[in-house]
């Protein structure tokens, strides 16, 4: 009820009550002074002030919404923000590219005794190249690696793709590369590790390998964990991983989806490693690599079909003087392998 009506009701109610009271007392005085009895006037009780009528409480509740008042998905009218993982299938590998780090998320390959026995590809005919399938704003550039102090480190090695020249060429795109420490790692222990994976084809008719970078935290002097890594290029463009992983699948049946699979996961620092170190030192639970990378490598492989690779084979590297062989290769003293 409007405030004016409330005030008006209170005023009129008070006036009516006063008039009735005055009439009552006047009649009483007449009764006392006049001997002739007269009829006592009938009076009504004074009316009380009318209480204001409040609106029904239902109209104070917010109305029931049949549709949300906003539409966040309207952003799609301007395009999908991402993230977008550029999936690249080639004859020798399958990769998923990380546009933020300019490195692959992962690169998968498949080797067999038959594929490694072929010698139709020659490294001397392959050249490092930028991947034109990656948008220019997000791709790694050859100039990023120039004078950076890092090797263009293959994730799938060229030596695993000798079965054709096109297969080998596809391993030289920068989408298959990450900055790797050269001496002591890419040209040494990492190369021995790649050789270990090839030697697994002696035991298994089919070997699959997924390789990729990691950016792991390190505990600093103040006791806190931080992720810190270098970025190369001018302007800075390509992230330098702190570590690399390999997940290895030894397939007994020679094909996925059948038979048992021997699994092993390894994480190596992107740093010089002494050749005397055992490869077993770098074996880790598969779940650790999955948590660190945000990837899932065996989600559809039942536990009952899994076996431990390093329980079936000797997980150790065979040291080959890779650097000396590369020097001899440059001089034309040996053929590419």
């Amino acid at each position: 009820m409007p405030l004016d009506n409330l005030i008006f009701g209170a005023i009129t109610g008070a006036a009516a009550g006063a008039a009735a009271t005055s009439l009552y007392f006047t009649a009483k005085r007449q009764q006392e002074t006049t001997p002739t009895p007269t009829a006592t006037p009938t009076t009504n009780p004074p009316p009380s002030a009318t209480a204001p009528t409040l609106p029904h409480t239902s109209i104070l509740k917010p109305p029931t919404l049949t549709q949300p008042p906003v539409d966040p998905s309207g952003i799609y009218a301007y395009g999908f923000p991402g993230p977008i993982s550029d999936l690249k299938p080639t004859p020798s590998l399958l990769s998923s590219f990380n546009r933020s780090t300019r490195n692959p998320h992962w690169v998968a390959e498949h080797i067999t005794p038959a594929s490694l026995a072929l010698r139709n590809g020659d490294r001397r005919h392959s050249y490092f190249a930028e991947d034109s399938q990656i948008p220019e704003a997000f791709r790694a550039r050859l100039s990023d690696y120039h004078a950076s102090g890092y090797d263009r480190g293959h994730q799938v090695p060229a030596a695993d793709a000798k079965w054709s020249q096109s297969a080998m060429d596809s391993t030289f795109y920068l989408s298959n590369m990450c900055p790797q420490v050269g001496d002591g790692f890419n040209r040494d222990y990492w190369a021995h590790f790649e050789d270990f994976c090839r030697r697994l084809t002696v035991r298994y008719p089919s070997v699959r390998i997924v390789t990729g970078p990691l950016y792991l935290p390190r505990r600093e002097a103040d006791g806190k964990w931080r992720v810190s890594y270098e970025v190369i290029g001018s302007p800075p463009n390509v992230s330098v991983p702190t570590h690399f992983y390999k997940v290895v699948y030894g397939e007994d049946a020679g094909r996925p989806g059948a038979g048992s699979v021997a699994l092993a996961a390894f994480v190596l620092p992107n740093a010089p490693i002494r050749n005397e170190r055992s490869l077993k030192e770098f074996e880790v639970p598969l779940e650790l690599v999955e948590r660190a990378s945000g990837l899932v490598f065996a989600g559809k492989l039942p536990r009952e079909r899994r076996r431990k690779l390093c329980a079936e084979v000797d997980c150790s590297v065979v040291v080959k003087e890779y650097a000396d062989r590369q020097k001899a290769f440059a001089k034309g003293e040996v053929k590419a392998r």
Side-chain angles (χ1 to χ4, degrees):
M1 176 180 293
L3 182 59
D4 290 344
N5 291 349
L6 292 177
I7 296 174
F8 178 77
I11 293 174
T12 54
T21 303
S22 176
L23 180 62
Y24 175 77
F25 282 109
T26 300
K28 289 287 287 180
R29 282 195 297 270
Q30 290 177 349
Q31 250 188 348
E32 293 172 352
T33 55
T34 306
T36 304
T38 59
T40 303
T42 303
T43 60
N44 294 321
S48 60
T50 304
T53 303
L54 296 176
H56 196 276
T57 55
S58 63
I59 67 173
L60 299 179
K61 297 180 181 179
T64 302
L65 297 177
T66 57
Q67 289 184 341
V70 296
D71 178 21
S73 64
I75 193 67
Y76 293 148
Y78 306 108
F80 176 64
I84 297 173
S85 298
D86 299 277
L87 196 64
K88 183 179 179 69
T90 75
S92 57
L93 59 87
L94 177 66
S95 66
S96 172
F97 190 73
N98 185 332
R99 293 184 174 187
S100 176
T101 63
R102 275 70 168 177
N103 290 320
H105 289 291
W106 53 265
V107 188
E109 61 172 313
H110 181 214
I111 55 177
T112 66
S115 72
L116 296 179
L118 296 172
R119 294 290 189 272
N120 299 323
D122 191 332
R123 187 187 181 104
R124 289 176 294 187
H125 299 152
S126 297
Y127 302 93
F128 290 99
E130 298 177 10
D131 194 336
S132 60
Q133 294 185 19
I134 306 297
E136 186 173 1
F138 306 116
R139 74 178 65 150
R141 302 181 181 88
L142 292 170
S143 59
D144 293 329
Y145 284 87
H146 178 69
S148 68
Y150 293 96
D151 285 2
R152 294 164 292 198
H154 284 72
Q155 301 303 280
V156 168
D160 290 1
K162 296 177 182 176
W163 50 271
S164 79
Q165 188 62 49
S166 64
M168 179 168 283
D169 291 345
S170 65
T171 68
F172 278 82
Y173 286 110
L174 292 187
S175 55
N176 182 46
M177 307 288 164
C178 290
Q180 287 186 326
V181 170
D183 290 336
F185 187 65
N186 181 49
R187 306 171 202 170
D188 292 284
Y189 202 93
W190 186 256
H192 308 324
F193 186 20
E194 293 170 337
D195 177 69
F196 161 79
C197 294
R198 285 189 287 273
R199 288 188 288 109
L200 289 174
T201 58
V202 176
R203 168 66 175 78
Y204 303 100
S206 173
V207 176
R208 299 181 190 275
I209 308 155
V210 181
T211 306
L214 293 173
Y215 308 87
L216 300 183
R218 180 175 60 183
R219 174 172 268 173
E220 299 186 353
D222 61 1
K224 296 181 179 180
W225 293 84
R226 293 182 176 88
V227 177
S228 177
Y229 53 84
E230 186 179 350
V231 182
I232 62 173
S234 182
N237 193 47
V238 181
S239 302
V240 179
T242 63
H243 294 73
F244 290 92
Y245 69 84
K246 279 188 183 289
V247 178
V248 184
Y249 310 70
E251 298 174 341
D252 270 346
R255 66 183 188 278
S260 58
V261 180
L263 277 174
F266 303 88
V267 173
L268 282 67
N270 188 11
I273 301 175
R274 298 191 313 274
N275 286 333
E276 303 80 47
R277 298 278 298 274
S278 169
L279 184 59
K280 282 281 292 179
E281 295 180 42
F282 303 104
E283 185 185 14
V284 298
L286 178 64
E287 292 76 15
L288 187 149
V289 180
E290 291 180 329
R291 288 198 304 269
S293 64
L295 306 172
V296 179
F297 298 99
K300 293 186 177 181
L301 181 62
R303 294 285 176 180
E304 59 270 18
R305 290 182 52 207
R306 302 185 189 187
R307 300 199 315 271
K308 293 184 177 181
L309 180 78
C310 291
E312 299 183 352
V313 299
D314 179 18
C315 285
S316 61
V317 299
V318 175
V319 176
K320 297 180 180 180
E321 297 305 324
Y322 179 81
D324 292 340
R325 184 174 66 82
Q326 285 296 94
K327 292 176 183 177
F329 168 72
K331 295 178 181 179
E333 298 174 4
V334 296
K335 294 183 66 176
R337 295 190 295 172

